[in-house]
């Protein structure tokens, strides 16, 4: 079995362009080179594993809405130097710190997701090296590419304090010269400067002897000399000595960090490569989103069924979906049709999608499609004539075909464009048939385009060979770029020539020179095409009629629902009217009671009692709410005890308690009432459940943009910026973000103060600080969330 797909085929199918598109989504040079070195797998299990990784990265990005940052510096040379025990520079050590930080953030971002389906990509995390102490020490000690922090060591802090003290003493001494009226006439300028790393004062050249000291320099005009007064010579010597101590201590600190990095160098290399590899997987996922790629089912039996496949290198606004298959019932497929009809694109589509899916790259087609992992893919597409080797088009094709014949095996895919072309049509078609027969006997999967009628006849006459044709407009003969499986298409050369404006007499002359067999065969194909199009037209009309009937049904249902709704509203109105009427009666009773009270005052207490009784009686009257209507199914079966029956005279449904055959009566319980009902007054019913309200849930689809760990507020007003900051912190908490970077710029400092005042009062903020050297300094605030 071959271990690699044929390089020539990769080039012909433009596989490198697919990789270049994916590489654009990577964040580092190593990840980019990792993508560009991807090769299709020839092993089914390996291809499935690569697809699993891409699927998991896709899920993390677009379902869990987490986009880890994979930003890495070029580390290969730095880690090689560390392995050789070389002393690394501040810049190199800082890059190691960034590697540790990126590795940790990638690990945490993916590992925090509680999803059992991410087992493959989480397994890769075990190769990521995390060393919190070394990372924090680097960031605390190295402030920039050429700057070490005072806190890098106690000795460095002490030395730098001594340097500051010495500087202060020197300046105080020199200020005594600069500010003294005794020396003001001697000075060229009232300032302190440095020459040869020593503090000096500028004197007018004619007064150079007035202050005892060492002359270190003079101006170009000679008017000024720079003198180091003897009073500060010792202090300058002390300062120089302290600077030397500082350099030695910095060198010791760099050696210390270099040694620490050397100890873990192998772990750092593995982590560097792992993060870059995971970056390449996420790049595949983002590319899949761009091309609307899908994961499809794979097999190693050579079965291909592409449904609505789109070539990824053709503009997605112009590409026409193609459905094509091979391997189920036939191993050889002919693609027929006119030139520029899309035959070559179909060949390349099958090839490139097979290569993509075997590389763990989702294919732009319907997810119900099937693709195969092939041992090798061979192509003979395009004109590859070689002038230097004096090879004609036919010779170059034959050279390629000879190579294919010598290396092809059962589990291979062959893509052959215009097989047998470039030579005499009779000999070319005979040779093409012989080659197809050879490949068919080998058991490989062969797809070839052709114009030869002999090959079409061969396809119809042999089992295991299928034919397909590129569709075209029957009126204009313009291509539609759609492939029709099981249908042979004519080349339509004469019709196309006519449509393009070739003189009719020339076309007719050409037609008259065609053999009767050729004309008959073309007429059969054109007749079949007309029948196919008529069938499609009938199918279209039937579909339209079905849609009209379906629409009428829906309108009828809607009208019925509206009638039911109107009935309910009417019932409600009637109940309300009854209640209003009852209210009137009660009001009248109140009036009557008042009158009776007047009578009571006259001594008629019995009248008062009767009035109260009347009021209570009226007040107890209620309008029964109409219960939800139940639907009944009547049954002709024998009625038994426990059955539900509909009592016709009462228009109610009750439950049978007893049966009296002598009197031909049922004892029926209706609510709290039990009554005897004649047999012929009852009918058995099957009760349906009360109609329930249908809860309708309305949802809308939306996309969460991948979360960024940085918020840029530059150019925004304070109120606008604080509003965006509050929303951003909420998003950060949703994404389980620990640290965020807020860019507000330096400017006047108003925006920075407003941001930090807001962070002080935010219940979600643990702490915050200004950016360090290399992080944006005072133009950036780094906040840690709770």
């Amino acid at each position: 079995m071959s271990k690699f797909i044929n390089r020539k085929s990769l080039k012909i199918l433009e596989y490198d362009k697919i990789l270049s598109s994916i590489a654009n989504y990577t964040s580092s040079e190593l990840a980019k080179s990792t993508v560009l070195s991807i090769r299709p797998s020839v092993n089914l299990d390996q291809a499935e594993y690569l697809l699993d990784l891409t699927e998991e990265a896709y899920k993390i990005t677009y379902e869990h809405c987490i986009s880890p940052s994979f930003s890495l510096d070029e580390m290969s040379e730095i880690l090689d130097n560390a392995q050789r025990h070389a002393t690394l520079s501040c810049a190199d050590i800082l890059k190691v710190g960034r590697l540790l930080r990126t590795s940790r953030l990638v690990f945490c971002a993916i590992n925090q997701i509680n999803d059992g389906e991410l087992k493959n990509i989480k397994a890769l995390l075990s190769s990521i090296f995390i060393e919190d102490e070394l990372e924090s020490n680097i960031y605390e000690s190295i402030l920039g590419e050429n700057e070490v922090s005072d806190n890098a060591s106690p000795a460095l802090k002490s030395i730098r304090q001594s340097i500051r003290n010495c500087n202060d003493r020197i300046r105080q001494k020199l200020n005594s010269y600069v500010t003294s009226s005794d020396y003001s006439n001697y000075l060229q300028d009232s300032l302190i400067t440095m020459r040869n790393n020593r503090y000096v004062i500028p004197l007018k050249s004619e007064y150079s002897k007035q202050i005892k000291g060492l002359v270190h320099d003079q101006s170009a005009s000679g008017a000024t000399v720079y003198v180091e007064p003897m009073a500060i010579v010792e202090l300058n010597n002390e300062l120089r000595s302290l600077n030397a101590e500082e350099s030695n201590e910095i060198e010791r600190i760099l050696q210390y960090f270099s040694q620490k990095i050397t100890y873990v160098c192998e772990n750092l290399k593995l982590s560097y490569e792992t993060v870059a590899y995971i970056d390449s997987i996420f790049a595949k996922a983002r590319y899949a989103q761009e091309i609307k790629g899908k994961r499809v089912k794979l097999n190693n039996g050579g079965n291909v069924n592409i449904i609505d496949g789109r070539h990824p290198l053709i503009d997605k606004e112009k590409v026409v979906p193609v459905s094509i298959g091979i391997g189920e019932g036939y191993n050889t497929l002919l693609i027929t049709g006119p030139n520029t009809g899309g035959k070559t694109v179909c060949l390349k589509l099958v090839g490139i999608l097979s290569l993509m899916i075997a590389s763990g790259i989702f294919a732009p087609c319907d997810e119900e499609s099937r693709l195969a992992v092939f041992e090798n893919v061979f192509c003979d597409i395009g004109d590859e004539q070689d002038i230097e080797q004096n090879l004609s088009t036919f010779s170059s094709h034959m050279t390629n075909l000879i190579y294919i014949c010598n290396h092809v095996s059962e589990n291979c895919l062959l893509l052959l464009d215009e097989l047998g072309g470039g030579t005499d049509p009779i000999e070319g078609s005979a040779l093409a048939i012989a080659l197809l027969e050879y490949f068919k006997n080998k058991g490989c999967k062969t797809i070839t385009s052709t114009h030869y009628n002999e090959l079409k006849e061969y396809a119809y006459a042999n089992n295991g060979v299928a034919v397909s044709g590129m569709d075209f407009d029957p009126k204009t003969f313009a291509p539609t770029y759609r492939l029709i499986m099981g249908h042979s298409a004519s080349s339509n050369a004469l019709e196309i020539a006519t449509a393009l404006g070739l003189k009719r007499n020339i076309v007719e002359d050409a037609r008259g020179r065609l053999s009767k067999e050729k004309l008959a065969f073309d007429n059969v194909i054109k007749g079949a095409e007309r029948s196919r199009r008529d069938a499609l037209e009938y199918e279209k009309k039937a579909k339209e009629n079905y849609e009209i009937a379906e629409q009428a049904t829906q309108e009828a249902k809607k009208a019925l629902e509206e009638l039911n709704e109107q009935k309910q509203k009417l019932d409600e109105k009637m109940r309300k009217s009854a209640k209003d009427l009852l209210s009137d009666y009660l009001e009248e009773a109140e009036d009557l009671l008042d009158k009776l009270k007047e009578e009571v005052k006259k001594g008629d207490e019995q009248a008062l009692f009767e009035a109260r009784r009347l009021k209570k009686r009226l007040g107890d009257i209620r309008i029964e709410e109409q219960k939800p209507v139940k639907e009944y199914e009547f049954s002709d079966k024998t009625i038994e005890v426990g059955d539900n029956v509909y009592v016709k005279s009462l228009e109610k449904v009750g439950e049978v308690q007893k049966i009296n055959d002598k009197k031909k009566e049922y004892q029926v319980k209706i609510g709290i009432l039990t009554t005897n009902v004649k047999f012929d007054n009852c009918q058995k019913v099957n009760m349906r459940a009360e109609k329930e309200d249908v809860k309708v849930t309305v949802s809308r689809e939306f996309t969460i943009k991948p979360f960024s760990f940085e918020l840029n507020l530059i150019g925004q007003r304070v109120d606008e910026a604080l509003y965006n900051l509050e929303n951003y912190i909420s998003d950060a908490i949703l994404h389980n973000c620990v640290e965020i970077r807020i860019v507000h710029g330096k400017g006047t400092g108003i925006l920075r103060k407003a941001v930090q005042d807001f962070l002080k009062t935010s219940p979600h903020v643990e702490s915050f600080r200004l950016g360090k050297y290399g992080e944006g300094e005072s133009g950036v605030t780094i906040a840690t969330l709770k």
Side-chain angles (χ1 to χ4, degrees):
M1 175 184 284
S2 302
K3 292 185 178 180
F4 302 104
I5 298 294
N6 183 280
R7 286 181 176 273
K8 189 174 184 179
S9 296
L10 296 179
K11 181 180 179 182
I12 291 173
L13 296 173
E14 299 178 288
Y15 178 74
D16 58 320
K17 292 185 179 179
I18 302 294
L19 298 185
S20 294
S21 297
I22 297 172
N24 290 332
Y25 289 100
T26 58
S27 303
S28 67
E29 286 301 316
L30 180 59
K32 183 176 182 179
S33 62
T34 300
V35 168
L36 295 177
S37 64
I38 292 174
R39 291 295 176 268
S41 174
V42 296
N43 178 274
L44 178 62
D45 292 337
Q46 177 66 13
E48 292 280 14
Y49 171 71
L50 295 175
L51 289 171
D52 286 341
L53 288 173
T54 305
E55 186 171 25
E56 290 175 20
Y58 190 95
K59 191 172 186 181
I60 291 170
T61 305
Y62 299 106
E63 290 186 26
H64 295 286
C65 303
I66 292 177
S67 297
S69 173
F70 297 99
S71 181
L72 292 172
D73 298 292
E74 174 52 47
M75 298 296 299
S76 301
E77 185 177 352
I78 294 171
L79 296 177
D80 287 343
N81 289 337
Q83 212 162 21
R84 290 193 294 267
H85 298 274
T87 300
L88 303 179
S89 66
C90 288
D92 292 344
I93 294 171
L94 201 57
K95 288 178 181 178
V96 173
R98 284 199 288 266
L99 169 60
L100 286 168
R101 183 178 185 181
T102 298
S103 300
R104 175 176 56 82
L105 292 175
V106 168
F107 181 92
C108 294
I110 297 174
N111 198 52
Q112 71 176 344
I113 303 172
N114 186 18
D115 189 335
E117 295 182 4
L118 306 180
K119 58 183 180 180
N120 292 296
I121 210 161
K122 283 191 174 182
L124 295 176
L125 299 180
S126 62
S127 299
I128 291 181
F129 177 65
I130 297 176
E131 179 54 74
D132 291 335
E133 184 178 357
L134 178 58
E135 178 192 343
S136 61
N137 285 345
I138 288 175
Y139 276 101
E140 288 171 1
S141 302
I142 310 297
L143 298 180
E145 294 188 354
N146 295 296
E147 185 178 2
V148 178
S149 169
D150 292 357
N151 297 320
S153 75
L156 183 62
K157 189 172 186 178
S158 175
I159 292 169
R160 286 182 171 172
Q161 184 59 50
S162 298
I163 289 173
R164 285 190 288 270
N165 292 337
C166 187
N167 275 317
D168 289 342
R169 293 200 305 272
I170 291 172
R171 286 183 173 276
Q172 287 175 5
K173 194 70 177 174
L174 290 177
N175 278 333
S176 67
Y177 289 97
V178 172
T179 60
S180 173
S181 60
D182 294 338
Y183 301 105
S184 59
N185 292 330
Y186 306 150
L187 298 175
Q188 191 69 268
D189 291 299
S190 297
L191 55 83
I192 300 168
T193 185
M194 295 192 78
R195 289 293 186 274
N196 301 323
N197 292 321
R198 298 178 76 88
Y199 284 101
V200 295
I201 55 176
L203 297 179
K204 296 175 182 177
S205 58
E206 61 266 27
Y207 299 118
S208 61
K209 303 294 186 181
Q210 297 301 318
I211 297 178
K212 277 184 149 186
L214 303 175
V215 177
H216 284 280
D217 198 6
Q218 68 176 12
S219 65
S221 65
T224 305
V225 292
Y226 297 93
V227 177
E228 177 187 3
M230 292 302 295
I232 67 163
V233 169
E234 285 302 319
L235 289 174
N236 268 331
N237 289 340
E238 181 184 349
L239 180 60
R240 176 167 287 189
S241 176
L242 288 170
N243 285 333
E245 287 182 34
E246 179 190 29
S247 297
N248 291 336
E249 180 60 17
I250 290 174
E251 182 67 16
R252 189 195 67 76
I253 291 168
L254 295 181
Q255 288 176 353
Y256 166 80
F257 278 112
S258 299
Q259 191 176 29
K260 284 280 189 182
I261 292 168
T262 299
Y263 289 152
V264 295
C265 198
E266 289 298 328
N267 291 332
L268 289 171
K269 279 188 173 182
L270 181 58
S271 190
Y272 176 48
E273 292 167 359
T274 302
V275 171
Y277 180 62
I278 296 175
D279 186 9
S280 72
I281 297 169
F282 274 77
K284 289 181 185 178
R286 287 189 282 271
Y287 179 68
Q289 177 72 1
E290 179 196 335
I291 65 171
K292 298 181 180 178
K294 304 292 182 183
R295 178 174 185 170
V296 301
K297 295 179 181 178
L298 281 184
N299 66 85
N300 56 5
N303 294 329
V304 174
N305 182 29
I306 298 172
I307 303 172
D308 290 337
R310 304 174 305 280
H311 198 293
L313 297 178
I314 299 177
D315 186 345
K316 56 187 176 183
E317 300 298 328
K318 298 178 181 178
V319 65
V320 177
V322 171
S323 297
I324 185 171
I326 192 172
E328 292 189 2
Y330 55 92
N331 288 343
T332 304
L333 174 67
L334 268 63
I335 302 178
T336 62
N339 288 327
T340 69
K343 299 191 298 299
T344 304
V345 171
C346 289
L347 289 173
K348 289 188 172 184
L349 175 70
V350 176
I352 197 63
L353 296 197
S354 299
L355 298 179
M356 288 170 65
I357 211 74
S359 305
I361 306 168
F362 285 5
C365 57
D366 189 277
E367 59 188 355
E368 294 300 318
S369 301
R370 292 193 306 277
L371 286 165
V373 175
F374 291 101
E375 178 183 331
N376 214 327
V377 177
F378 295 101
C379 298
D380 183 52
I381 299 174
D383 186 0
E384 298 180 25
Q385 59 179 313
D386 191 327
I387 296 175
E388 291 184 2
Q389 297 184 21
N390 197 27
L391 292 177
S392 65
T393 298
F394 178 74
S395 298
S396 66
H397 282 304
M398 284 311 304
T399 302
N400 199 16
L401 287 168
I402 290 168
Y403 175 84
I404 294 172
C405 289
N406 291 336
H407 293 84
V408 72
S409 59
E410 181 178 355
N411 191 26
C412 288
L413 174 65
L414 275 61
L415 304 171
L416 312 174
D417 194 19
E418 301 296 348
L419 183 62
T423 187
D424 175 74
I426 296 176
E427 293 183 355
S429 59
L431 183 59
I433 292 172
L435 285 167
L436 290 180
E437 191 68 19
Y438 175 80
F439 296 140
K440 185 160 74 82
N441 293 333
K442 278 284 186 179
C444 56
K445 306 299 180 288
T446 306
I447 304 178
T448 182
S449 63
T450 185
H451 287 289
Y452 292 146
N453 282 344
E454 290 80 3
L455 264 68
K456 300 173 188 177
E457 293 171 0
Y458 166 78
Y460 285 122
N462 285 270
N463 293 327
V465 183
V467 68
S468 61
M470 302 307 302
D471 192 26
F472 60 90
D473 188 312
K475 296 180 180 178
T476 63
F477 295 98
T480 65
Y481 305 107
R482 297 187 181 279
L483 182 69
I484 310 299
M485 295 295 294
H487 162 71
S488 178
S490 175
S491 296
N492 295 326
L494 298 182
E495 288 80 359
I496 292 173
T498 302
L500 292 174
L502 186 62
K503 291 183 178 181
R504 184 171 295 278
N505 61 329
I506 298 176
V507 174
E508 291 303 321
D509 184 24
R511 196 185 304 279
R513 297 176 184 274
L514 295 175
S515 66
K516 293 181 180 179
E517 292 79 5
K518 162 70 175 172
L519 292 172
F521 189 82
D522 283 349
N523 286 334
V524 168
I525 292 177
K526 289 174 182 177
E529 172 62 12
R530 283 192 294 271
S531 299
R532 185 186 69 83
R533 289 188 178 277
D534 289 343
L536 288 175
E537 188 65 28
Y538 291 139
E539 182 183 4
K540 181 180 177 182
K541 288 181 179 178
K543 186 177 180 180
E544 289 174 353
N545 290 334
Y546 173 80
E547 289 175 352
I548 292 171
E550 184 69 19
Q551 184 179 356
T553 302
Q554 294 300 325
E555 289 175 355
K557 287 181 179 179
K558 186 177 179 181
L560 181 60
E561 289 173 359
E562 290 175 353
L563 285 173
N564 288 331
E565 186 178 350
Q566 290 176 8
K567 180 178 179 297
Q568 290 176 5
K569 288 180 179 178
L570 184 59
D571 291 343
E572 180 66 27
K573 188 174 181 180
M574 291 175 66
R575 286 197 299 274
K576 188 174 183 300
S577 298
K579 287 182 179 180
D580 291 342
L581 182 61
L582 178 60
S583 178
D584 292 341
Y585 286 152
L586 289 174
E587 188 176 347
E588 184 179 349
E590 290 287 350
D591 293 339
L592 178 60
L593 183 60
D594 290 339
K595 290 179 182 179
L596 289 175
K597 282 181 180 180
E598 293 297 325
E599 294 296 326
V600 168
K601 291 178 182 179
K602 299 176 182 179
D604 190 358
E605 192 166 339
Q606 180 64 32
L608 177 61
F609 174 81
E610 286 297 318
R612 285 174 178 167
R613 189 177 65 81
L614 177 60
K615 179 187 177 186
K616 185 176 185 302
R617 183 180 173 187
L618 288 172
D620 288 340
I621 297 175
R622 295 287 183 270
I623 298 295
E624 290 189 3
E625 295 293 331
Q626 186 176 355
K627 294 182 179 179
V629 178
K630 296 183 179 181
E631 294 183 358
Y632 308 124
E633 284 183 353
F634 292 99
S635 174
D636 294 330
K637 293 183 180 179
T638 303
I639 298 174
E640 298 177 354
V641 174
D643 286 346
N644 292 312
V645 294
Y646 179 73
V647 181
K648 300 175 184 176
S649 59
L650 299 177
E651 296 184 347
K652 297 286 185 182
V653 172
E655 183 180 330
V656 176
Q657 303 292 310
K658 294 179 182 178
I659 301 175
N660 190 331
D661 291 321
K662 288 184 179 181
K663 295 184 178 181
K664 295 185 178 182
E665 290 180 344
Y666 299 118
Q667 188 182 83
V668 181
K669 184 178 181 181
I670 304 172
I672 60 172
L673 172 69
T674 301
T675 184
N676 294 324
V677 184
K678 293 293 183 181
F679 284 175
D680 58 1
N681 195 21
C682 295
Q683 187 170 357
K684 183 176 179 179
V685 295
N686 297 324
M687 293 190 67
R688 292 182 181 173
E690 293 181 5
K691 292 182 178 179
E692 295 181 357
D693 291 334
V694 179
K695 294 182 179 179
V696 181
T697 302
V698 180
S699 64
R700 62 190 177 93
E701 188 175 341
F702 63 97
T703 304
I704 302 178
K705 296 180 181 177
F707 180 75
S708 170
F709 291 90
E710 178 182 287
L711 174 65
N712 193 330
L713 301 176
I714 292 176
Q716 298 182 16
R717 300 188 309 276
V718 169
D719 54 346
E720 178 187 7
L722 294 183
Y723 174 82
N724 290 333
L725 176 57
E726 184 178 7
N727 291 335
Y728 176 72
I729 289 176
S730 299
D731 288 342
I733 292 169
L734 273 175
H735 289 83
N736 297 319
C737 183
V738 177
E739 187 176 88
I740 58 175
R741 185 170 186 266
I742 305 161
V743 181
H744 43 62
K746 298 179 180 178
T748 62
I750 294 174
L751 186 56
R752 177 178 65 246
K753 183 177 184 304
V755 166
Q756 296 190 347
D757 289 342
F758 177 89
L759 295 177
K760 287 178 185 176
T761 60
S762 174
H764 306 297
V765 177
E766 180 75 28
S767 62
F768 63 90
R769 61 176 174 83
L770 284 176
K772 297 178 182 178
Y773 185 86
E775 291 182 325
E777 302 177 311
S778 61
V780 168
T781 294
I782 308 295
T784 303
L785 304 181
K786 293 181 180 178

